[in-house]
Amino acid sequence: MAVLGIAIIVVLIVALKVHAFLSLTIGALFVGVASGIAAGDVTKSYENGVGSVLGYVGVLIALGAMVGKLLADSGGADQVVDTLLRGKPGGLPWKMALIAFIIGIPMFFEIGLVLLIPVVVLAVRRTGARAMLLGIPALAGLSVLHGFVPPHPGPLAAIGVLKGNVGITLALGLLVAIPTVIVAGPLFGRLAAKWVPIGAAGAALEVGSGHHDSEPAPHAAAHDAPEQTTHGPQHAAPQPAAGTTRTRTPSFAATLATVLLPVALMLIKAASDVWMSKDNAIYPVLQFIGDPVVALLIAVLLAMYTFGTAVGFGVPELSRKIGESLLPISGVMLIVGAGGGFKQVLVDGGTGTAIAKIAIAANLSALLLGWIVAVLIRLATGSATVATVTAAGIVAPLATGLSTTHIALVVLAIGAGSLFFSHVNDAGFWLVKEYFGMTVGETIKTWSVMETVISVMGLGMTLLLSTFL
C-alpha cells in the first residue's frame, strides 16, 4: 500500500502536474483507507500529522524567511559579496563557495540562487573566467546548506518526524557540509568548466550587468538629494516617503553577526547538552536562548535593527517586508505539512513498521535506507522536500531508540538522498539552465552531476561519522 501510495503521488505530480500538497494529501488518504485504518479515523490521522510538523517546523520556516528577506533588501547580502570578492582572481571559486555557504544558512535555495547568479555572471565578465568555474561553487554552497542544515524546510521536517535535536543536527550538518561543498564546489567546478566551457550568458547576464551598476544608487541618492532641491520644484524628482528606502548599507561585520547569531545560539545549546550539568544555573538560560524558535526570533529582532532601522527603513516598511517574506513560503509550508500527514498515515496504518521489518531482514540501517528512499522519491518527483519528508516517515520506526546523534545522522543521510541528480522534473534545474544560458545536456553535465556528487559525498560523510559517534 505504501508503494502504491507513493506511485499515486509520483503520477499526480509528474504526469498530471497536480500540486505536491494535493498529491500528498490524496496519497495519504489512499494509504490510510487501503491500510485498514477506520474510514472515520483516516482524516484525523492525516490532520494530526500535518499539525505535528507545522506546529514546530512552520514557525521556524517563517522566521528564517524573515531574516532572508531583510538580508536581501538591506543590501547586507551585497556587502558580503563585495567584501569577499576583493583580492586575487584565483581565489574566486573558493570565495564564491564561501559566500554561498554564508548566505545559504538563513536563505532558501531559490532566494540565494536569484541573488548570487547575477553576481557570478558579473564576476565572470570581469575576470573572463568560465561560468561554471565560479557558478558551480556558488550552486554547491546553496544546495548543500538547503539539504543538510536547519532552518531549511527539508532538514527541519525530517527532524520533526524523527524527533531529532536541531542543535546537534545543525552542528553535524555543518561538519558534513564543509567538505561536501569543497568537493562538489571548487574542485568539481574545474571539471565542469572543462565539460561546458561557456562564458557569461543567459538570463542572468542582463541582470548581472545592472546589479553592479545599481549598487551605489542608495548612496548616490543620499548625496544628490540636496543638489536636486536647488533646481526648483518643476525639476525635482519625486522623492520616496521617509523610511521606505535604505540610505545606508549594513557593515560586513554587522551582516555576518546577524546571519550567524542563530547558528551560534543553537550550537551553544547543543554544546550545553553534551558538556554541561543540568544542575548548572546557566543551563536553563542556554536551553532557552538556544531553542531554534527563540534563536531565530532573536535573529529577526536583531535583523530589524541591523538590516532595518540602522540602514534607513522605518518600522512600517519593516512590517511590510516581513509580511512579504511570508508569501513565497506558504506553498513550501503546505507541502511540508502534507508530507507530515502522509508520514502519520504510514505510521498509523502499520506501513512504517512493515517496511522497517523488511529493512531489518535485508540488514539495511535506517541511515542507508533513508538515503535510498529519498533518492528514489527525488528522482521520481523532483522535489527535495517531498523526498525528505516521505523518507523520514518511512524510516521513523527504525530510528526509534537511536541516540540523538545517530538520529541527526539519519536526517543528514536523508537530506543527502533528497539532492540526488536533479533533472527535468525539478524547478531548480530549469532555473540554473535559463540563468546560465545552457542547453538541457549542458545543465545535466554540470548541475545534475554536481547534485549527485553532493548526495554521494553527503552519504559517505554520514557513514564515516557514524563509525566514530
Side-chain angles (χ1 to χ4, degrees):
M1 292 304 103
V3 171
L4 287 176
I6 293 172
I8 288 172
I9 292 171
V10 170
V11 170
L12 288 174
I13 294 175
V14 177
L16 302 181
K17 309 301 180 186
V18 177
H19 192 275
F21 169 74
L22 291 175
S23 302
L24 282 164
T25 302
I26 294 169
L29 297 179
F30 168 81
V31 170
V33 173
S35 298
I37 299 177
D41 294 332
V42 173
T43 54
K44 291 181 181 178
S45 176
Y46 172 76
E47 291 164 4
N48 289 338
V50 172
S52 65
V53 171
L54 284 187
Y56 179 62
V57 175
V59 177
L60 300 184
I61 293 174
L63 291 172
M66 292 175 189
V67 176
K69 172 69 173 175
L70 294 176
L71 173 66
D73 288 1
S74 67
D78 292 322
Q79 183 71 355
V80 173
V81 169
D82 291 341
T83 302
L84 294 180
L85 284 183
R86 297 169 188 163
K88 297 179 180 179
L92 273 179
W94 297 91
K95 290 178 180 178
M96 282 293 180
L98 181 59
I99 293 169
F101 194 93
I102 294 172
I103 290 178
I105 292 174
M107 279 191 170
F108 292 153
F109 175 80
E110 290 79 6
I111 299 173
L113 187 67
V114 171
L115 174 71
L116 277 185
I117 285 187
V119 178
V120 171
V121 173
L122 178 63
V124 168
R125 292 180 64 203
R126 287 183 182 177
T127 61
R130 292 176 177 177
M132 289 299 102
L133 187 65
L134 304 183
I136 287 295
L139 293 171
L142 292 173
S143 184
V144 168
L145 271 295
H146 178 78
F148 291 163
V149 178
H152 291 280
L156 280 177
I159 290 168
V161 170
L162 298 173
K163 296 179 172 53
N165 181 288
V166 174
I168 292 175
T169 306
L170 173 60
L172 292 176
L174 291 173
L175 196 61
V176 170
I178 292 171
T180 303
V181 169
I182 290 172
V183 173
L187 297 183
F188 174 69
R190 295 179 182 177
L191 187 59
K194 293 179 180 178
W195 288 349
V196 182
I198 60 171
L205 182 57
E206 183 177 349
V207 179
S209 302
H211 180 85
H212 180 258
D213 296 337
S214 66
E215 283 174 4
H219 306 283
H223 292 306
D224 293 343
E227 183 180 341
Q228 290 173 353
T229 59
T230 63
H231 296 290
Q234 65 273 24
H235 300 293
Q239 298 296 314
T244 59
T245 58
R246 64 182 173 96
T247 57
R248 297 174 295 281
T249 301
S251 68
F252 177 73
T255 301
L256 209 58
T258 305
V259 170
L260 297 182
L261 176 64
V263 178
L265 291 176
M266 285 187 274
L267 289 177
I268 289 171
K269 177 182 180 296
S272 71
D273 288 332
V274 177
W275 291 304
M276 185 176 287
S277 168
K278 294 183 179 180
D279 298 329
N280 193 305
I282 200 175
Y283 179 80
V285 177
L286 298 181
Q287 291 292 302
F288 178 74
I289 64 172
D291 181 88
V293 172
V294 177
L296 276 170
L297 177 60
I298 293 172
V300 171
L301 296 176
L302 178 60
M304 290 177 69
Y305 171 71
T306 55
F307 300 154
T309 56
V311 301
F313 292 131
V315 174
E317 180 68 9
L318 284 176
S319 297
R320 187 184 68 81
K321 290 184 179 299
I322 286 174
E324 288 179 350
S325 73
L326 300 177
L327 297 177
I329 64 170
S330 57
V332 173
M333 291 174 67
L334 284 172
I335 292 171
V336 169
F342 183 69
K343 175 271 304 183
Q344 193 60 46
V345 170
L346 287 174
V347 172
D348 293 347
T351 309
T353 304
I355 292 176
K357 289 179 180 178
I358 295 172
I360 292 171
N363 201 26
L364 288 176
S365 65
L367 193 152
L368 190 57
L369 179 67
W371 184 82
I372 292 172
V373 172
V375 165
L376 294 175
I377 297 174
R378 162 68 161 183
L379 288 172
T381 68
S383 171
T385 303
V386 172
T388 298
V389 178
T390 307
I394 288 175
V395 302
L398 279 179
T400 303
L402 292 179
S403 67
T404 52
T405 300
H406 280 85
I407 288 177
L409 291 175
V410 173
V411 170
L412 296 176
I414 291 172
S418 74
L419 299 177
F420 190 89
F421 197 77
S422 162
H423 58 98
V424 294
N425 60 0
D426 178 20
F429 177 92
W430 297 104
L431 278 174
V432 173
K433 174 188 177 297
E434 294 303 319
Y435 263 119
F436 282 107
M438 295 188 289
T439 66
V440 169
E442 288 172 338
T443 311
I444 289 175
K445 287 180 181 178
T446 53
W447 163 255
S448 301
V449 174
M450 181 207 77
E451 288 282 85
T452 305
V453 172
I454 291 172
S455 181
V456 175
M457 182 74 184
L459 174 65
M461 286 298 300
T462 53
L463 289 171
L464 180 64
L465 287 175
S466 69
T467 61
F468 295 102
L469 299 175

